[in-house]
Amino acid sequence: ESAERQKTPNEIALAILILGLTLLYLVVVMTLIAFASYTETEVDTAVLISLLVCLIPTTIGALLSAIGIAGMDRLLARNVIAKSGRAIEAAGDVDVILLDKTGTITMGNRQAVEFIPAPDVAETELRDTCLLSSLSDLTPEGRSIVELAIAQGAKEKKTDGGQPVEFSADTRMSGVDLYEKVIRKGAPEAVVRHVKKLGGLVPEKVNSIVMHISQQGGTPLMVSENDHVVGVIHLKDIVKPGIADRLRILQRVGIRTVMITGDNPITAKTIADEAGVDEFIAEAKPEDKLRYIRKEQAKGQLVAMIGDGTNDAPALAQADVGLAMNSGTDAAREAGNMVDLDSSPTKLIDVIETGKQLLVTRGALTTFSIANDVSKYFAIIPAMFPALPIFGAMNIMRLHSTESAVLSAIIFNAIIIILLIPLALKGVAYRPAGASSILRRNALIYGVGGVIVPFIGIKLIDLLITGIGLA
C-alpha cells in the first residue's frame, strides 16, 4: 500500500521541455508586440495568435497519445496487457532488470535426476526416505522426486498418521513428521541447522556432494531423518537457449541485469556466469526483492521485475515496471502495471524492447517538432514586418503575402500532425545502441528533416492557396 512509482527521467524531461518551450514562445510573441510598437509597425492580433499557435509544441503534444496507444497495442500483440502507456514508457527507461532464475533464465522445470547417499547409508534407504519426504509435495520438483524413486524400485507408501510439513521461505524445508521419524528435505544450510539443532552432525562427504552439484549448476536438496543426514537429491535445470544473447542486448544499452534465486551462492554463481548476468542474489526470500528494489530506486535507478505470487505483490507494486503472470494470484495481477497472458517470464525482455522503441519514436518526433518550429519563424515573422530590411534576409520562402504566409503556416501545422500519426502508430525502428548514437541519428534524420519539410510544405501550400484565390 505504501508503494508509489516514481516518474521516469524522460517523463520529467518532456514535461520540462514542453513547459519551457511554451514559456519561451510566449516571451517571443510578447517581445514581437513590443518590437512592433517600437518600430511603429501595425501587427494584426490574429497574426500574433497564429504565430503562437504554430510555435507552441502542439505537434508532439497531439502525438503523445498515439505513441502511447501504439505501444500498448504492440504489447497486446505479444499477449501482454499494459495498464497504461506510462508503464511502457517506464520500461524504456529501465536501468536495472530483476530476473528470477527459475523459469526466466533457466527452463524452470527442475527435475530430480539422482539420489546420492551419505556414507554408510544404503541407496534403497535414501530412495525410500526421499519418497516419504515428497509424497505430499505437489510442486513439479516434488513430483519428480516421487517419480524417480518409483522408477528406481520404491513402492509408493501411505503416510497414515503422518503430518506433512509444507515448504516455506523462512524454513526453506519441507517433509513429513511420522510416528518415529522426522524427515526433512530442503536447502543444505537449512537442513544442516535442523540436524545440528537435534544434536546430529553432517558428514564432510555430504558437504562435498553439495559442493559438486552446485558447481555443475544443479540444485542440491539435502535429506535428513531425525538427527542424521541420509543423502542429497540432485535437481537439474538448464539455462534457456539464447537467453545470454538477449541479456547482452540489454547490457549493450546500459541495463544492468540481476538474477535472484533461492539457490545457494555456488549454484547461483554457476548459472549467473553461464547466462551472463551482471549480478546475482542467492538464498533470497520474497521480501529481499522489495528491499533490493527500494535500494536501487533510492539511487535514482528505475527497476523492472516479474512476479506471480501474493508475496511478490509488494515488490511488483514498488517496481517501476511490474510484470505479473496471468497464472499468478489476483494480488500479483493487481499490483503489477502489466499482465502477461502467456505467463512467460522472458516477456519482460520484450516489454523493455517495446519501451525502448516507444521512447525512440517519441524522441524522433519531438526532435522533428522542435525543428519544425524553426521554419515557421521564416514564414510568419518576415510577413509581419515586410517593410523592415532587417527581416528581408529571413524571407527565404518568398511567400505571397502576410495573409498567405499566416494561412499556409496554420494549414501546414494542422496537416503535419495528421501525416505523422501513421509514423507514431508504427513506431521508429529500434536498434540497440547507446544514447549518443540514437541522438545523432534523430538529429540527422528528424532534426534536419524537421527544418526542410516545413519549408517545402509551407511554400507549396502558399502557391496553392494563392492560385485558388484564398489569399
Side-chain angles (χ1 to χ4, degrees):
E1 293 180 359
S2 62
E4 183 179 345
R5 291 189 172 97
Q6 59 184 326
K7 288 188 175 182
T8 68
N10 269 284
E11 187 179 2
I12 295 170
L14 184 63
I16 293 174
L17 178 65
I18 291 177
L19 178 61
L21 288 176
T22 301
L23 292 175
L24 174 64
Y25 295 146
L26 283 170
V27 170
V28 168
V29 170
M30 297 303 294
T31 302
L32 288 174
I33 293 173
F35 183 76
S37 175
Y38 175 75
T39 58
E40 299 180 349
T41 302
E42 185 178 346
V43 177
D44 193 341
T45 304
V47 174
L48 290 171
I49 294 174
S50 300
L51 177 63
L52 186 60
V53 168
C54 289
L55 291 182
I56 288 177
T58 51
T59 304
I60 187 59
L63 293 173
L64 282 178
S65 296
I67 296 170
I69 291 170
M72 295 173 72
D73 186 61
R74 280 193 287 276
L75 280 185
L76 189 58
R78 298 184 180 187
N79 277 355
V80 176
I81 297 176
K83 297 181 181 179
S84 68
R86 180 180 176 184
I88 309 173
E89 179 184 328
D93 259 333
V94 159
D95 302 296
V96 181
I97 176 172
L98 197 60
L99 300 164
D100 276 324
K101 188 207 79 173
T102 305
T104 305
I105 291 175
T106 64
M107 296 298 289
N109 54 347
R110 293 188 299 184
Q111 300 289 305
V113 295
E114 188 180 12
F115 299 139
I116 308 172
D120 302 323
V121 175
E123 291 184 3
T124 54
E125 180 185 349
L126 172 60
R127 178 199 67 194
D128 292 343
T129 304
C130 290
L131 176 67
L132 288 171
S133 74
S134 302
L135 286 174
S136 301
D137 187 348
L138 300 180
T139 64
E141 293 88 348
R143 294 294 85 204
S144 74
I145 293 170
V146 172
E147 290 169 5
L148 180 61
I150 292 175
Q152 292 185 358
K155 294 182 179 180
E156 192 165 351
K157 305 174 183 178
K158 292 185 178 180
T159 55
D160 293 336
Q163 179 64 42
V165 178
E166 294 185 1
F167 176 87
S168 76
D170 291 326
T171 64
R172 302 179 68 212
M173 294 186 300
S174 64
V176 61
D177 291 340
L178 301 173
Y179 181 66
E180 295 179 343
K181 297 179 182 179
V182 174
I183 298 174
R184 293 289 184 273
K185 76 171 190 292
E189 299 81 4
V191 175
V192 167
R193 285 195 299 270
H194 169 72
V195 168
K196 288 184 176 179
K197 188 176 179 180
L198 296 177
L201 296 173
V202 179
E204 188 58 38
K205 174 68 174 176
V206 173
N207 290 328
S208 299
I209 294 169
V210 168
M211 178 72 71
H212 178 68
I213 293 173
S214 299
Q215 289 172 339
Q216 290 181 316
T219 301
L221 295 182
M222 195 176 287
V223 184
S224 69
E225 181 179 315
N226 295 331
D227 64 349
H228 64 282
V229 174
V230 294
V232 180
I233 303 170
H234 180 181
L235 295 180
K236 190 174 182 180
D237 199 356
I238 60 173
V239 172
K240 287 185 176 180
I243 190 69
D245 293 333
R246 300 200 71 180
L247 293 179
R248 273 194 292 272
I249 291 173
L250 294 178
Q251 291 161 348
R252 199 184 308 159
V253 295
I255 296 176
R256 186 156 44 90
T257 54
V258 180
M259 182 186 80
I260 187 163
T261 177
D263 284 333
N264 64 72
I266 298 172
T267 298
K269 186 178 187 308
T270 302
I271 297 295
D273 289 344
E274 185 177 351
V277 297
D278 296 307
E279 299 176 26
F280 66 88
I281 304 171
E283 298 178 344
K285 297 177 181 178
E287 57 267 26
D288 292 332
K289 293 181 182 180
L290 180 60
R291 189 178 302 114
Y292 183 85
I293 290 170
R294 285 176 171 167
K295 183 185 76 171
E296 291 298 320
Q297 288 176 335
K299 302 176 186 175
Q301 304 284 287
L302 267 66
V303 185
M305 71 157 285
I306 58 172
D308 59 1
T310 300
N311 54 10
D312 288 327
L316 282 169
Q318 182 69 38
D320 301 284
V321 178
L323 180 62
M325 301 293 99
N326 191 47
S327 61
T329 63
D330 290 340
R333 290 195 296 270
E334 182 66 27
N337 50 16
M338 296 184 190
V339 179
D340 176 20
L341 300 180
D342 295 331
S343 299
S344 172
T346 53
K347 284 282 186 71
L348 184 54
I349 299 174
D350 295 328
V351 167
I352 289 176
E353 289 175 353
T354 301
K356 290 288 184 186
Q357 185 189 25
L358 185 146
L359 289 185
V360 169
T361 300
R362 198 178 68 184
L365 294 180
T366 301
T367 303
F368 184 91
S369 176
I370 295 172
N372 186 36
D373 291 334
V374 173
S375 62
K376 294 167 188 174
Y377 281 104
F378 291 88
I380 296 180
I381 293 182
M384 292 172 60
F385 303 97
L388 297 180
I390 191 173
F391 291 111
M394 291 183 64
N395 194 13
I396 299 173
M397 298 186 198
R398 302 296 175 186
L399 302 179
H400 182 264
S401 64
T402 301
E403 291 77 11
S404 71
V406 172
L407 189 57
S408 298
I410 290 290
I411 292 173
F412 177 83
N413 199 59
I415 290 175
I416 196 64
I417 295 175
I418 298 171
L419 294 178
L420 287 175
I421 286 176
L423 178 60
L425 293 175
K426 182 182 178 182
V428 176
Y430 167 67
R431 301 178 184 86
S436 58
S437 175
I438 293 173
L439 181 61
R440 283 196 302 271
R441 182 172 178 270
N442 280 350
L444 181 62
I445 298 174
Y446 297 97
V448 175
V451 172
I452 295 174
V453 170
F455 272 86
I456 298 172
I458 291 173
K459 180 62 179 177
L460 290 175
I461 294 171
D462 178 72
L463 292 173
L464 178 62
I465 62 176
T466 302
I468 62 178
L470 288 179

